[in-house]
Amino acid sequence: MLRAERSKGMRVKVLLVEDDERLAATVKRGLEAEGFAVETAFDGDEGYWRASEGAHDLIVLDIMLPKRNGFLVCRDLRAIGCWTPILMLTAKDGDLDEAEALEDGADDYLTKPFSFPVLVARLWALSRRAGVRVPTSMSIGDLRIDQRRRQVWRGDTRIDVTAREFDVLSLLVRREGEVLSKADLLAGVWEDDFNGDPNIIEVYVARLRRKVDDPFGRQTIVTMRGAGYCVVDDG
């Protein structure tokens, strides 16, 4: 099984500092579905303490925090020599906030509301720059997923998929052998504010089967009735 892992199978450790507990729970669940190990803090003081005391590979830090805002947390961490890569989250959309975040020592920023796949891609990029190993290519049988180029291949044949189809397939392949429910897939691929019909998952799975399985006589994507979906090596 290929996930966001370092050498020797160690999972990439993320500290998520976010005072919106509902959003924090959703992001935590989604990142864990991607294979990250996630610890949460809900105010600036707790975030600073956990970041300074713990061994994390990445920090996701909201700006608008109680007790100590994200700018101060970032600045104070850099002042004590903590150089863990920081991705700053903000509901504000302005060049001055982004500039201040970078000046205080943040490595990247993302404005709310954000696309979850974009957050994951940014974290992978930070991980690579920090020397943390994350998978850029995954395969199951002769089905290959190129994370960096966002391409899908079956043997030597490239398969055209949409961005959302890629994200669904990528999550299934990362969790090879595990059964993912519709809720798992929604949490790992769709945005936090999605309030549509969960059966949209069935639509995307059917589309993927028509592209990656049916033309090649394969059954990589399997439905576990009443439970969800998984991928298996049927080659």
Side-chain angles (χ1 to χ4, degrees), residues 31-99:
L31 290 178
E32 288 177 340
E34 295 285 339
F36 294 93
V38 183
E39 181 180 5
T40 53
F42 302 109
D43 63 60
D45 285 352
E46 182 187 10
Y48 172 79
W49 174 74
R50 291 187 182 278
S52 60
E53 296 293 326
H56 304 93
D57 299 304
L58 302 168
I59 299 171
V60 178
L61 177 64
D62 188 31
I63 287 181
M64 303 301 291
L65 293 169
K67 298 186 179 179
R68 192 184 317 202
N69 68 41
F71 293 129
L72 289 174
V73 173
C74 183
R75 190 182 310 156
D76 292 345
L77 287 173
R78 296 318 190 212
I80 64 170
C82 175
W83 293 102
T84 303
I86 294 175
L87 185 148
M88 198 84 86
L89 294 179
T90 176
K92 297 180 179 180
D93 188 8
D95 293 340
L96 293 179
D97 293 312
E98 295 165 0

Side-chain angles (χ1 to χ4, degrees), residues 6 10-15 36-38 55-59:
R6 297 186 293 176
M10 296 176 63
R11 300 173 73 188
V12 176
K13 297 179 181 178
V14 176
L15 173 63
F36 294 93
V38 183
H56 304 93
D57 299 304
L58 302 168
I59 299 171

Side-chain angles (χ1 to χ4, degrees), residues 164-184:
R164 189 76 78 183
E165 289 167 352
F166 179 90
D167 292 330
V168 172
L169 181 62
S170 177
L171 180 53
L172 285 168
V173 173
R174 277 194 294 277
R175 303 287 293 274
E176 177 189 349
E178 295 185 40
V179 178
L180 301 185
S181 67
K182 292 178 183 178
D184 293 330

